[in-house]
Amino acid sequence: MNRKLLLLCFSSLLLLISCVPVCDETGSLVVKFVFTKAIPSSMPTSALIVLSKGMRTLSKDVNLVNQDGVVFQSIEKGVWDVYVELRDDQGYAIYIGQTRAEVVAGKQSTVSVPMTLNSADLKINVSVASTQAGSVELSVWSSQSFMNETRNLQSGKATFEFHNLASAVWNARLTLYDQSGTEMLVWPENASIGLELQPGRMNEYSFRIDEFGNVELLISIESPQTVSTATLTNTDEGILISWLPVERASIYEIYRLEQDYWVKVYEGSSTSFLDRDVVENVEYCYVFNVVSEDGRHSGFSEPFRIVRDTQRIFIAFADNTIARFRMGQSSITSVASSSVSEEIKALRAVGNDLYVLTSGSLFQLNANDLRTLSSFKHNTLLFSQNFSMNDECLFLYSSGTLKKLPYLDLNRIKTLSINTTTIDADRYVVALSNQDLHVIDPETFRVLLVQRIENPARVFTRGQFVFVLCENNGTYTLDSYTMNASTLLPETSYPVNGDVRCLDASSDLFCIGVYNSGVYLGRIGKAGLIRLSSTFPKAVKMVGNLLYILYTNKLEIYSIDPETLSATQILSAVLSQNAVALFAD
């Protein structure tokens, strides 16, 4: 039963009145329930109700789903102690409450039992792989409490236990010390881990580092609502999260999912937050915890997700400068620029980094403001004109060897002996060797297959597609293939009016730049090409249904209708310098 239906069932109990015969000395007790959202991750499904007076005790276990009311019959008059536990489907007492009810014969009385969340226990197991670690310090805190304890590691392990804690969202941070007591690690370094403690139980986490006289009882649970609707927006500065105010809310806490943990990224009273610490093309997931004016916690909301995605355009120029551009409603504007010391050959943006390949170096720039972060110079980069870049590596060919240089460790070079005249890289790496087409796994750097091609001249790959330009006595065709389970399946052959020197694809659409002929648009599986321009471009780039065409002195942006393959120019910009390379995402 979903939560809304369960709430409806519980609320309907308020409308029920139990009519029990009343005599002079005995009566009946009717118990009813009202629920709203609170921190427990599940709603109460059963109740234990105990009435006691002196040595006399009456108790009942109630199934809240199948039973509408709780009736205690033949109760003598007097003052009774009332104790209630509300339990979830696993038998944990998540709410408790007690009060006194005076039963007067022949009269109907009403008494309210104040319910509160049961307390929670917390156990945290820490295991540390490093043999240098000697002790670990744990800090846990909520809005009203703070605790700090240190344990020596035994065989790299330590256990912390805390009892009778408030059932709320607690925060945790670990500090690791070596054998001499020197701090080794604070985790997380600039934030905290959110732990949602469920009531009436031990919450365990492991961290690895590497109702006489018709008395009616109304049991009412109130807690702060949580954020049910939030808007997540990509901006140039980060991910903007905004939400409507929650009634009686004092503090909003936002946690972001990082691996298997919820890390707090915001705490305050504002109804918006800009998360600047984000990486392009990564999905982010957020939850809210709302703290009410009296300090109660709502518990985590439903998650809100968004993929970090901004429109970025990078152009390199002949004077060794790089500029980042932004698309507006009516214009393309430059937002940042920088320069390097060598001739630029290619650009590739990966996350928040922009890699710039020059005649002898690979520069790493911050993709937002184009600050230079690092540079890598190596002899393997010199004079190599046969190269390609994907989102993880730079691939170069020289002297009978194909080389793979991961961006995260450019010194960890892998090699593959192969003779090739042209290479390209994306999901796969492809290389032409005479009339043999090699398809290579970029991770293992092993050849997946070799296929014989007649008269190949160039090869391109995007996603699962491979494109081979073939030339026979001045006649050119562009043949498309699909990579499927280590098999190269032929798709469509397209006659072209010359040498295809640049190509890009998005989904099943592709665009080519043909030397001395212009720019053409096509679709995999559909014969024929549509000519968009008679001028040969420096580069083409497809991002979704947007097509970027870079000429020496101009950038044009088109919107492509994927059904009709019609292209509508939406923006253009004249460039003040001669352009040499383009990357957009």
Side-chain angles (χ1 to χ4, degrees), residues 113-162:
V113 180
M115 300 299 296
T116 61
L117 276 173
N118 201 358
S119 63
D121 298 330
L122 172 64
K123 181 178 182 179
I124 294 180
N125 303 307
V126 180
S127 61
V128 183
S130 173
T131 59
Q132 302 299 316
S135 62
V136 60
E137 178 184 8
L138 173 67
S139 298
V140 290
W141 68 96
S142 69
S143 57
Q144 296 177 335
S145 300
F146 178 88
M147 293 176 292
N148 180 272
E149 292 187 6
T150 301
R151 298 278 189 275
N152 291 326
L153 292 165
Q154 303 293 334
S155 301
K157 297 180 180 180
T159 298
F160 298 82
E161 285 194 18
F162 305 92

Side-chain angles (χ1 to χ4, degrees), residues 282-511:
V282 172
E283 183 181 63
Y284 290 93
C285 179
Y286 303 88
V287 293
F288 289 82
N289 177 51
V290 178
V291 182
S292 67
E293 295 170 348
D294 56 1
R296 288 175 295 172
H297 291 227
S298 70
F300 288 161
S301 67
E302 294 298 318
F304 300 92
R305 301 176 185 272
I306 188 173
V307 174
R308 173 62 173 167
D309 185 17
T310 56
Q311 291 180 333
R312 306 184 297 183
I313 308 168
F314 304 94
I315 298 177
F317 298 94
D319 63 352
N320 303 337
T321 60
I322 309 105
R324 177 184 173 183
F325 293 84
R326 175 191 298 153
M327 289 177 55
Q329 292 184 346
S330 60
S331 64
I332 305 170
T333 58
S334 176
V335 294
S337 63
S338 184
S339 64
V340 295
S341 56
E342 299 168 349
E343 177 188 357
I344 299 173
K345 298 194 295 185
L347 302 172
R348 185 85 182 196
V350 182
N352 290 348
D353 296 319
L354 177 67
Y355 293 95
V356 182
L357 179 64
T358 70
S359 55
S361 302
L362 183 67
F363 291 85
Q364 179 189 14
L365 278 61
N366 181 292
N368 295 320
D369 55 20
L370 300 186
R371 289 179 291 111
T372 300
L373 302 177
S374 67
S375 62
F376 175 82
K377 184 180 288 289
H378 196 280
N379 290 335
T380 194
L381 300 175
L382 296 174
F383 312 116
S384 176
Q385 297 300 317
N386 198 356
F387 62 87
S388 187
M389 306 169 76
N390 69 6
D391 282 347
E392 296 179 355
C393 301
L394 166 65
F395 300 90
L396 295 168
Y397 174 79
S398 64
S399 305
T401 304
L402 181 62
K403 301 177 181 181
K404 168 187 172 182
L405 290 76
Y407 301 133
L408 296 180
D409 188 357
L410 292 166
N411 287 301
R412 186 166 56 90
I413 301 175
K414 284 190 175 182
T415 61
L416 179 66
S417 296
I418 188 174
N419 288 310
T420 179
T421 56
T422 179
I423 65 170
D424 199 21
D426 194 62
R427 184 182 302 177
Y428 303 98
V429 179
V430 291
L432 282 180
S433 178
N434 295 322
Q435 296 191 64
D436 288 334
L437 170 63
H438 295 74
V439 180
I440 303 162
D441 186 329
E443 292 188 12
T444 64
F445 219 39
R446 296 179 179 177
V447 177
L448 298 175
L449 65 86
V450 180
Q451 184 155 324
R452 190 77 169 180
I453 303 291
E454 294 294 332
N455 305 311
R458 298 184 190 274
V459 64
F460 308 90
T461 182
R462 294 294 184 270
Q464 75 271 29
F465 299 119
V466 176
F467 302 84
V468 182
L469 178 69
C470 299
E471 188 267 333
N472 185 15
N473 296 324
T475 300
Y476 292 88
T477 58
L478 182 68
D479 299 328
S480 64
Y481 299 82
T482 300
M483 187 70 180
N484 186 5
S486 299
T487 303
L488 205 57
L489 305 176
E491 290 284 352
T492 314
S493 183
Y494 308 88
V496 291
N497 298 325
D499 185 4
V500 177
R501 297 191 180 179
C502 56
L503 177 148
D504 200 28
S506 175
S507 186
D508 63 343
L509 303 180
F510 66 93
C511 181

Side-chain angles (χ1 to χ4, degrees), residues 10 169-170 184 207 229 294 304 310 319 333 338 345 477 511 529 540 549 567 585:
F10 289 152
V169 174
W170 289 71
M184 296 176 61
F207 296 145
T229 302
D294 56 1
F304 300 92
T310 56
D319 63 352
T333 58
S338 184
K345 298 194 295 185
T477 58
C511 181
L529 299 171
V540 295
I549 305 176
D585 61 5

